[in-house]
Amino acid sequence: MKLYDYKKFDAYWQEKWKENKIYETPKLPHNKKIYVLDMFPYPSGEGLHVGHPKGYIATDIYSRFKRMNGFDVLHPMGWDAFGLPAEQFAIKNKMHPRMSVEQNISNFKKQLSHLGLDYDWSREINTTDPKFYKWTQWIFTKLYEKGLAYESNAPINWCPTCKTGLANEDVNADGTCERCDTKVEKKPIRQWVLKITDYADRMLKDLDLLQWPEGVKLAQKNWIGRSEGAEFDFKLTDVKDHTDGQMSVKIFTTRADTLYGATFVAISAETAKIWFDAGWETIDGVKEYVLNTLEEQKKENDYSVVPEKTGVYSGINAINPATGEKIPVWVANYVLGGVGTGAIMAVPAHDERDLEFAKKYNLPIKEIDLDKTIDEMVKKFNGKKVVRYKMEDWVFARQRYWGEPFPVVRDKTGKVYMVDESELPVLLPEVESYEPTGTGESPLAAITEWVNVKGYITEKGTFKQSSDGEIFTRETNTMPQWAGSSWYYLRFLDPDNDKALVSPEIEKVWQPVDVYVGGDHATRHLIYARFWHKFLYDIGAVSTVEPFSRLEFLGFILAEDGRKMSKRWGNIINPDDVVNEYGADTLRVYEMFMAPFDQTAAWSTTSIKGSDKFLDRVYNLRNKIGSTSTVLNDVHKTIKKVTEDIEKFKFNTAISAMMILVNKMEEESFTKEDYSLLIMILAPFAPHISEQLWNELGNTTSVHKTDWPKYDESKLVEENATISIQINGKLRGTFVVPFNSEDIVVSEEVKKTEGYKKYVGEQEPKKVIIVKNRIINIVI
RNA sequence: GCCGGAGUGGCGGAAUGGUAGACGCGCACGACUCAAAAUCGUGUAUCGCAAGGUGUGGAGGUUCAAGUCCUCUCUCCGGCACCA
């Protein structure tokens, strides 16, 4: 039986808090500010499972804690609602994605509302709201103005199932689509691409400024993949082509010091293809090999399997600039078109891959002394030092309906213009069918009355509509889902502003996000958002160089069977059911107690009973309030522990500390003062039961509006200390001395103990080590 | 292959170099009950009757003292991957 009537009081207090608007944040803070943010969710049709709110509970606890510590806390929530799933749902159910998104959001909100979360809903945002995506489009126009958005026809990742292009970040390591696991192909399509590589260096450097988990920083570092190296020109000879045979090939290497050992040059099939297109004629078999390899590479996009190395001699030779030797040029499948210059100098003696290839095709292997520096070699042989990044530019277009339209039109000649700022947003039009065409064109292309638009070009070079203007055509691709989430955190600061994405006065005081909490987005969202933020900084729209100061990762909650919760396995636990059975506070406490916050853990329908019991025992203690206290030390110790643990997101040990205190209070005696302190530190974790108890104690204001209790150092001093006796490092008993006893007292007292008499006796110890209040180690 | 993270009771896990297993679950026994649930109490790493010994994936090392630091090694998880 539950002592605390959660069915009655949870809802009652939630209503009260709402009425009193205790969580609304002023536009400009009056006190010290803190911005606590969750990675906003995609409102899927499946609704919440118990794993979803874990992060929200943590930020709720943290922001309640900070509020009690006198901060003005900004803790908002919104929806990342563009994207494929909503569109796929719409196709299947013949329903406008906007409708399903609306439904899903209201369902999510209802589920969240039962948990007593302290979101300031007056700031709710939604990426699919034209008032929001107006500014997503605006940012794009600015990127274009600064030369950071360009069009490309280069082959990109294409998912045949989703029928859209994908960014590299959307492709799994095994070459499958992140969404649907279909093999991704390479397909040349006209695409908008953002020049994220321009920011690679700054994104790398500024990682040092961030209080993020080291693992995430490293993942970003690897993703950016900076490598310093050098380029050299190798003169080509024996070239049969339309030129005069004076061609050269540019190679990239990080090991310029091994130049003397280069025994052949290997070029990628893509490079060879470019040479063919330029009129290169070659010996038999090469062209076939190149075309086959290109075909292979298009199909075999599985990066986890290293294909067997193959190659063919091109008929061309090159001159090693260091040795002057004539060395053969091979076309090889292990040299990749998109990497470096698409051509390498092969040094079999110092590179495993080159060695493997050299052995297979009987190419010379030349051992050399490595006594030259890279700088020397570059200087001596006319090389050029270059910095390369593994990260590629961001393919920023999707051939789908449910996304932000580009604010872009073209004139008859195909010249591109941005839609004038005054005419943003470019609204997403209604269509009859959301089905992707699969041709590389978006479904928007079919709506001619939208695509064709009359207007003129302003003096600024932007496009404005006018019924008597010329005909322009709109861009029909849409932006990827990552667009809105790359800047949404700024919009919470000033959600209704229609003059700017955020007003500078407001931005200046609230930015950056102080604590950002969410799941694993090490190389996607967190890369894109940092890129856009730095760009916004450069154009003066924001005042900080980084968006998120501190990042806390959350570990996922697995189903009881250890698998991911999913409809497919039928193992989903719905928070509504848990709230129904135990109340919101039990769910909250259990999710925080079950494991360290950043660790993945499986749900347990039996373990949750422990958290439930704990809250009941807290509630029951109200009948045991007395007039004397034997737990004062413990109360202060607990305040200290809980205070420090919340700050560090160590919620599991904070709860455990409160459990220890409750155990003690049950056994000993305590006052109303002690009990009040317990309720105050429990309040962020279990806001409903705490509020109810606070009320029952005769308080008329909310416990969530009280000041966080300060612990008193002087009260942490214990009366006695239990010292363990170690003889040669082995535990041989314990004894009690007054707290903070001098070493001399401890070393005298120890002689009276049984352990000492038995193991040391009359011997003179060789050495005695005393750790105050803890241990005495006697070496004999 | 490279880079991270982690290996502690039946389970989730706790431990500023200082009594390993806190706290919780589970389990066992007991109380209450006609009975069950709930609740409360006691116990619960392991070997041993005991004294005592052994124990934090494994092997070494540093130290008065190691789950914690160092070296090597095994296993699992995550990220990246023919990146020149």
Side-chain angles (χ1 to χ4, degrees), chain A residues 38-310:
Chain A
D38 298 281
M39 290 183 188
F40 67 162
Y42 172 78
S44 89
E46 295 202 15
L48 294 178
H49 62 63
V50 287
H52 289 109
K54 182 176 166 185
Y56 312 153
I57 293 168
T59 53
D60 186 69
I61 290 168
Y62 192 76
S63 53
R64 283 173 189 276
F65 167 72
K66 283 293 179 183
R67 202 175 286 115
M68 288 172 80
N69 275 287
F71 284 79
D72 276 336
V73 179
L74 178 58
H75 187 215
M77 182 45 93
W79 313 101
D80 189 14
F82 271 130
L84 275 179
E87 185 175 316
Q88 276 153 353
F89 185 87
I91 291 166
K92 211 165 124 198
N93 298 286
K94 307 240 178 300
M95 182 186 195
H96 196 289
R98 196 189 306 115
M99 303 306 288
S100 60
V101 159
E102 244 167 56
Q103 263 180 26
N104 295 346
I105 287 176
S106 91
N107 183 35
F108 261 59
K109 267 180 94 166
K110 200 175 95 208
Q111 287 189 289
L112 287 179
S113 73
H114 296 149
L115 302 178
L117 302 170
D118 69 348
Y119 291 119
D120 178 355
W121 286 107
S122 71
R123 292 167 179 263
E124 179 179 357
I125 57 167
N126 177 339
T127 53
T128 66
D129 182 345
K131 283 192 301 218
F132 181 93
Y133 70 67
K134 166 179 177 175
W135 298 104
T136 313
Q137 293 175 341
W138 180 84
I139 294 170
F140 182 82
T141 62
K142 294 290 155 189
L143 284 162
Y144 181 80
E145 275 175 28
K146 302 288 173 189
L148 292 165
Y150 63 93
E151 287 185 284
S152 158
N153 280 299
I156 53 134
N157 302 303
W158 173 263
C159 172
T161 303
C162 297
K163 296 183 175 146
T164 184
L166 300 172
N168 282 355
E169 286 85 345
D170 297 324
V171 181
N172 295 325
D174 62 355
T176 57
C177 169
E178 191 266 332
R179 283 235 173 262
C180 67
D181 290 334
T182 309
K183 266 256 185 278
V184 169
E185 297 170 356
K186 290 277 178 195
K187 187 168 174 174
I189 294 184
R190 184 186 53 77
Q191 292 283 341
W192 280 100
V193 180
L194 300 186
K195 235 173 157 185
I196 190 170
T197 47
D198 270 17
Y199 282 77
D201 218 23
R202 282 165 66 189
M203 287 170 68
L204 191 65
K205 271 204 204 98
D206 289 351
L207 284 172
D208 290 342
L209 307 175
L210 302 175
Q211 195 187 340
W212 286 18
E214 282 308 310
V216 182
K217 290 202 212 176
L218 271 160
Q220 293 219 345
K221 212 170 155 179
N222 285 340
W223 188 264
I224 294 166
R226 182 190 155 98
S227 60
E228 284 183 28
E231 287 178 359
F232 289 95
D233 283 323
F234 277 52
K235 277 228 170 76
L236 297 176
T237 63
D238 313 311
V239 187
K240 282 198 278 172
D241 74 337
H242 62 293
T243 70
D244 60 1
Q246 288 300 307
M247 287 171 73
S248 69
V249 59
K250 198 184 280 302
I251 63 96
F252 174 78
T253 177
T254 53
R255 293 294 307 274
D257 55 330
T258 64
L259 186 55
Y260 282 102
T263 54
F264 61 99
V265 164
I267 66 169
S268 68
E270 281 180 45
T271 307
K273 176 79 168 36
I274 293 166
W275 291 7
F276 285 134
D277 294 345
W280 177 36
E281 288 169 27
T282 181
I283 56 176
D284 287 350
V286 176
K287 199 157 193 172
E288 287 78 0
Y289 174 79
V290 167
L291 295 177
N292 280 341
T293 304
L294 285 173
E295 209 45 47
E296 274 310 293
Q297 285 174 345
K298 202 197 266 176
K299 272 190 290 184
E300 287 302 321
N301 213 356
D302 185 343
Y303 304 120
S304 64
V305 179
V306 178
E308 203 198 325
K309 290 182 180 45
T310 60

Side-chain angles (χ1 to χ4, degrees), chain A residues 93 105 116 122 128 169 226 240 243 276 335 342 409 420 453 472 499 502 534 537 573 599 612 617 652 666 713:
Chain A
N93 298 286
I105 287 176
S122 71
T128 66
E169 286 85 345
R226 182 190 155 98
K240 282 198 278 172
T243 70
F276 285 134
V335 181
V409 298
D420 193 80
V453 56
F472 290 77
K499 300 277 183 292
V502 53
K534 285 186 181 304
Y537 174 81
I573 296 187
Q599 198 165 303
D612 193 50
R617 287 161 71 189
N652 57 331
E666 280 178 341
E713 284 287 349

Side-chain angles (χ1 to χ4, degrees), chain A residues 740-753:
Chain A
N740 281 341
S741 289
E742 294 297 327
D743 288 359
I744 184 92
V745 178
V746 175
S747 51
E748 281 310 308
E749 282 299 310
V750 72
K751 291 178 182 162
K752 300 178 190 162
T753 63

Side-chain angles (χ1 to χ4, degrees), chain A residues 403-475:
Chain A
E404 298 89 345
F406 281 87
V408 169
V409 298
R410 287 185 182 75
D411 66 15
K412 271 180 236 148
T413 69
K415 189 165 189 302
V416 163
Y417 301 92
M418 292 295 122
V419 172
D420 193 80
E421 185 177 337
S422 63
E423 299 199 345
L424 296 179
V426 174
L427 292 173
L428 187 59
E430 302 292 324
V431 295
E432 307 248 315
S433 158
Y434 317 107
E435 303 269 0
T437 59
T439 59
E441 286 287 347
S442 148
L444 294 180
I447 319 171
T448 41
E449 61 272 32
W450 180 78
V451 173
N452 296 319
V453 56
K454 284 184 180 167
Y456 63 96
I457 302 306
T458 66
E459 282 174 18
K460 283 186 295 174
T462 57
F463 170 83
K464 271 193 175 177
Q465 285 197 47
S466 158
S467 54
D468 56 358
E470 284 180 46
I471 292 193
F472 290 77
T473 54
R474 291 192 188 275
E475 168 65 62

Side-chain angles (χ1 to χ4, degrees), chain A residues 362-590:
Chain A
N362 272 323
L363 292 158
I365 299 161
K366 192 173 159 195
E367 295 287 343
I368 51 159
D369 291 335
L370 293 169
D371 55 355
K372 304 282 189 299
T373 67
I374 289 172
D375 284 329
E376 275 176 60
M377 298 296 278
V378 167
K379 212 168 154 194
K380 200 161 166 190
F381 300 112
N382 241 339
K384 194 176 126 208
K385 281 188 86 171
V386 289
V387 173
R388 264 200 61 241
Y389 298 95
K390 204 167 78 180
M391 182 168 71
E392 291 177 32
D393 279 344
W394 177 10
V395 173
F396 190 73
R398 300 292 180 270
Q399 293 69 45
R400 303 289 305 217
Y401 172 71
W402 191 233
E404 298 89 345
F406 281 87
V408 169
V409 298
R410 287 185 182 75
D411 66 15
K412 271 180 236 148
T413 69
K415 189 165 189 302
V416 163
Y417 301 92
M418 292 295 122
V419 172
D420 193 80
E421 185 177 337
S422 63
E423 299 199 345
L424 296 179
V426 174
L427 292 173
L428 187 59
E430 302 292 324
V431 295
E432 307 248 315
S433 158
Y434 317 107
E435 303 269 0
T437 59
T439 59
E441 286 287 347
S442 148
L444 294 180
I447 319 171
T448 41
E449 61 272 32
W450 180 78
V451 173
N452 296 319
V453 56
K454 284 184 180 167
Y456 63 96
I457 302 306
T458 66
E459 282 174 18
K460 283 186 295 174
T462 57
F463 170 83
K464 271 193 175 177
Q465 285 197 47
S466 158
S467 54
D468 56 358
E470 284 180 46
I471 292 193
F472 290 77
T473 54
R474 291 192 188 275
E475 168 65 62
T476 57
N477 282 333
T478 55
M479 298 186 196
Q481 199 186 352
W482 307 110
S485 59
S486 294
W487 74 278
Y488 76 107
Y489 54 92
L490 293 168
R491 192 59 177 173
F492 282 126
L493 307 179
D494 198 8
D496 301 317
N497 194 335
D498 61 356
K499 300 277 183 292
L501 63 83
V502 53
S503 102
E505 301 80 61
I506 293 175
E507 187 277 334
K508 211 164 49 206
V509 289
W510 281 109
Q511 264 295 305
V513 174
D514 296 282
V515 185
Y516 195 31
V517 177
D520 192 347
H521 278 289
T523 54
R524 270 183 269 219
H525 164 57
L526 289 173
I527 288 256
Y528 296 143
R530 291 184 64 219
F531 162 43
W532 275 31
H533 192 88
K534 285 186 181 304
F535 170 70
L536 291 172
Y537 174 81
D538 288 349
I539 62 168
V542 299
S543 59
T544 61
V545 292
E546 283 286 338
F548 317 118
S549 297
R550 172 177 169 192
L551 175 71
E552 289 293 336
F553 252 13
L554 67 90
F556 296 108
I557 295 181
L558 301 174
E560 203 144 19
D561 57 13
R563 290 189 289 202
K564 253 173 103 168
M565 281 192 200
S566 139
K567 251 188 188 165
R568 185 167 156 206
W569 305 118
N571 55 9
I572 291 177
I573 296 187
N574 187 321
D576 295 349
D577 297 337
V578 180
V579 167
N580 224 0
E581 195 177 345
Y582 296 103
D585 290 340
T586 296
L587 174 74
R588 295 170 57 113
V589 169
Y590 176 57

Side-chain angles (χ1 to χ4, degrees), chain A residues 625-641:
Chain A
I625 295 172
S627 53
T628 56
S629 172
T630 60
V631 297
L632 198 60
N633 275 22
D634 304 277
V635 170
H636 281 265
K637 227 158 68 184
T638 310
I639 293 170
K640 180 172 155 71
K641 175 79 177 150

